[in-house]
């Protein structure tokens, strides 16, 4: 109708109703509900690994002999070095479930005759997800935050010296050689901290998983009971200019989570790597602004300054009648921007998508101004 733009200007709605082209219509495209166990393979964010470097090859023991040159002298070559065990961050890895509890580098070969050196042992590369912390005796020894970043977990042993190495004016026919040294042995603790641009933070049944399903192609389990999501899920939001924003669904927090209550510290650590936060609040409960206060208190108690990161308040379940009553009250109580939407029906999702892109662009400019490379997906 030609009068539609004029009507919209005269009476703007409190929130917009997203069309099917701008966001997913949850009533038309229902995703099959599956359990958390059926959802993905077993998610592991902690792993204890024993790594041993390869042993160096022993030195050679031989004397050169040929016709008309019987006493050619020692010609035993040195042994090859043992291979290292190297941890390598790979963007394709999303869990530590494929990491074995033991790794050992390949051994070096023994030195041969005619001054031939033994071959070095091959290195063993262990692929770990981006965002893996490497600890030894409780101390952080490496932080793999970039794709392709490597850390030598265990050095291989040096190869032994052949009898040719000990030739001198005092000893023209040395008969002794040295064996290869053993590789370094360490016990490391690998700890995964999800690296995502945005983190969905909220109490159980606030609608975080439903919102992630509406924004991306991720399929976390959705149910009417608390703690439906037991593992962090990362969904990718695609934009028309091929930029990708990673959004992490952190399992629901409760009061006292920083004291390891509920799922506790096991999943609070995944929020540390998020560049900005999306506080998901259930608008249908009485006084929803108290949820926001409790969430910020838990984050601040876990790590000082965590609650001060760039954020936006997402008021979910706007399709309910009680939520429409609580929405103006929530905006009066909080200073942050409030985006009211419904993850179930898809109402007003485009406002969140646009603001999510604004937060992402601000983060990229801040990283580039400091000479650092922003995290890309």
């Amino acid at each position: 109708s030609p009068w539609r733009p004029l009507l919209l200007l005269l009476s703007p709605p409190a929130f917009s109703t997203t069309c099917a082209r701008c966001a997913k219509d949850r009533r038309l495209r229902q995703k099959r509900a599956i359990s958390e166990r059926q959802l993905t393979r077993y998610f592991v964010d902690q792993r204890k690994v024993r790594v041993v470097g390869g042993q160096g090859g022993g030195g050679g023991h031989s004397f050169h002999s040929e016709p008309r040159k019987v006493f050619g002298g020692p010609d035993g070559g040195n042994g090859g070095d043992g291979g290292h065990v190297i941890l390598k961050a790979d963007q394709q890895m999303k869990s530590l479930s494929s990491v074995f509890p033991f790794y050992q580098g390949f051994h070096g070969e023994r030195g041969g005759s005619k001054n031939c050196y033994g071959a070095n042992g091959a290195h063993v590369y262990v692929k770990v997800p981006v965002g893996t912390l490497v600890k030894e005796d409780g101390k952080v020894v490496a932080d793999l935050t970039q794709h392709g970043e490597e850390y030598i977990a265990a050095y291989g042993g040096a190869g032994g010296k052949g009898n040719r190495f000990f030739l001198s004016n005092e000893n023209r026919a040395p008969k002794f050689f040295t064996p290869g040294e053993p590789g370094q042995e360490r016990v490391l603790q690998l700890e995964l901290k999800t690296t995502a641009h945005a983190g969905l933070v909220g109490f159980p049944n606030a609608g975080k998983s439903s919102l992630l399903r509406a924004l991306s192609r991720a399929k976390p389990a959705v149910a009417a009971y608390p703690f439906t999501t037991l593992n962090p899920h990362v969904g990718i939001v695609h934009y028309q200019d091929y930029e990708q924003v990673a959004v992490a669904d952190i399992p629901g927090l409760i009061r006292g989570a920083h004291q390891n209550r509920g799922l506790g510290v096991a999943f609070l650590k995944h929020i540390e790597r998020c560049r900005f936060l999306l506080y998901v609040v259930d608008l249908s409960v009485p006084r929803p602004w108290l949820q926001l206060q409790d969430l910020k208190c838990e984050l601040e108690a876990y790590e000082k300054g965590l609650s001060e990161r760039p954020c936006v308040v997402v008021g979910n379940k706007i399709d309910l009648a009680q939520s429409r009553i609580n929405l103006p009250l929530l905006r009066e109580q909080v200073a942050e921007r409030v985006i009211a939407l419904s993850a179930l029906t898809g109402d007003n999702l485009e406002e969140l998508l646009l603001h999510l892109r604004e937060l992402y662009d601000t983060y990229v400019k801040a990283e580039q101004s400091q000479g650092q490379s922003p995290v890309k997906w």
Side-chain angles (χ1 to χ4, degrees):
S1 173
W3 301 103
R4 181 175 177 84
L6 182 59
L7 293 176
L8 291 178
L9 291 175
L10 293 178
S11 58
F15 60 93
S16 63
T17 302
T18 304
C19 62
R21 293 179 301 175
C22 300
K24 300 179 181 179
D25 190 345
R26 304 295 299 158
R27 296 191 184 278
L28 298 178
R29 297 184 59 186
Q30 290 288 343
K31 295 181 180 178
R32 182 170 58 91
I34 56 179
S35 65
E36 184 79 5
R37 180 171 296 181
Q38 295 173 333
L39 182 63
T40 56
R41 61 183 181 178
Y42 184 56
F43 180 83
V44 177
D45 59 354
Q46 290 185 348
R47 180 72 83 185
K48 185 177 181 180
V49 182
R50 186 168 73 94
V51 290
V52 181
Q55 184 173 358
H61 175 263
S62 63
F63 289 89
H64 183 71
S65 179
E66 60 180 340
R68 293 182 298 275
K69 193 176 181 182
V70 180
F71 302 101
D75 65 349
N78 299 336
D81 298 333
H84 308 325
V85 179
I86 303 175
L87 303 179
K88 186 174 182 178
D90 191 346
Q91 199 171 13
Q92 301 298 325
M93 305 293 294
K94 302 302 178 184
S95 172
L96 295 174
S97 58
S98 59
V99 178
F100 296 108
F102 175 75
Y103 289 95
Q104 185 174 18
F106 290 93
H107 301 318
E109 294 185 2
R110 186 181 183 86
S113 59
K114 298 182 181 180
N115 297 323
C116 291
Y117 282 33
N120 295 331
H123 302 320
V124 174
Y125 287 88
V126 183
K127 292 184 179 181
V128 296
V130 176
T132 300
L133 278 178
V134 184
K135 295 183 179 180
E136 185 177 18
D137 297 331
K139 297 181 179 179
V140 178
V141 295
D143 189 0
L144 307 178
T145 58
Q146 299 293 333
H147 175 71
E149 190 174 357
E150 298 180 358
Y151 172 71
I152 301 179
Y155 286 91
K161 303 298 183 182
N163 61 340
R164 177 68 175 81
F165 178 81
F166 299 98
L167 178 65
S168 63
N169 293 331
E170 290 77 15
N171 187 1
R172 302 304 301 173
K175 297 183 179 180
F176 53 90
F177 57 95
T178 59
E181 296 182 359
Q184 184 184 16
E185 182 175 355
R186 303 171 69 185
V187 177
L188 304 176
Q189 293 82 31
L190 304 183
E191 182 178 321
L192 174 61
K193 292 186 177 181
T194 304
T195 56
H197 299 117
L200 297 175
V201 184
F203 285 108
N205 290 113
K208 301 182 300 299
S209 299
S210 300
L211 182 58
L212 185 65
R213 289 166 69 100
L215 293 175
S216 66
R217 295 182 180 178
K219 296 182 180 180
V222 175
Y225 53 85
F227 298 109
T228 308
T229 304
L230 299 178
N231 303 320
H233 296 269
V234 179
I236 308 300
V237 181
H238 299 269
Y239 290 91
Q240 292 183 354
D241 57 351
Y242 302 104
E243 283 288 351
Q244 298 179 355
V245 180
V247 181
D249 175 20
I250 310 299
L253 304 178
I254 63 174
R255 295 178 179 86
H258 68 281
Q259 299 175 349
N260 212 16
R261 294 180 182 176
L263 298 177
V265 180
F267 294 105
L268 268 172
K269 61 187 178 184
H270 291 281
I271 308 177
E272 295 182 31
R273 298 294 177 89
C274 296
R275 273 59 181 183
F276 38 90
L277 305 177
L278 306 180
Y279 294 102
V280 183
V281 177
D282 187 358
L283 287 177
S284 62
V285 300
R287 296 187 294 178
W289 53 88
L290 296 181
Q291 294 185 12
L292 181 62
Q293 297 177 4
D294 293 338
L295 288 173
K296 288 188 175 183
C297 290
E298 292 299 326
L299 296 181
E300 195 67 23
Y302 174 72
E303 181 182 346
K304 189 175 182 180
L306 188 58
S307 63
E308 299 177 358
R309 295 187 180 181
C311 65
V312 62
V313 179
V314 179
N316 195 17
K317 305 181 183 180
I318 194 59
D319 52 306
L320 302 179
Q322 186 61 36
S323 301
R324 297 174 181 269
I325 300 175
N326 292 335
L327 177 59
L329 301 177
L330 175 64
R331 286 175 171 167
E332 292 178 0
Q333 296 291 332
V334 301
E336 294 82 0
R337 179 176 178 178
V338 179
I339 299 178
L341 53 82
S342 175
L344 178 64
T345 62
D347 293 342
N348 206 34
L349 277 179
E350 78 279 3
E351 183 180 355
L352 178 60
L353 290 173
L354 293 175
H355 188 67
L356 186 64
R357 181 58 189 271
E358 293 176 2
L359 293 173
Y360 173 76
D361 291 340
T362 304
Y363 154 71
V364 171
K365 293 179 181 178
E367 291 292 317
Q368 292 177 351
S369 63
Q370 298 176 1
Q372 301 178 0
S373 58
V375 177
K376 294 286 186 178
W377 281 77

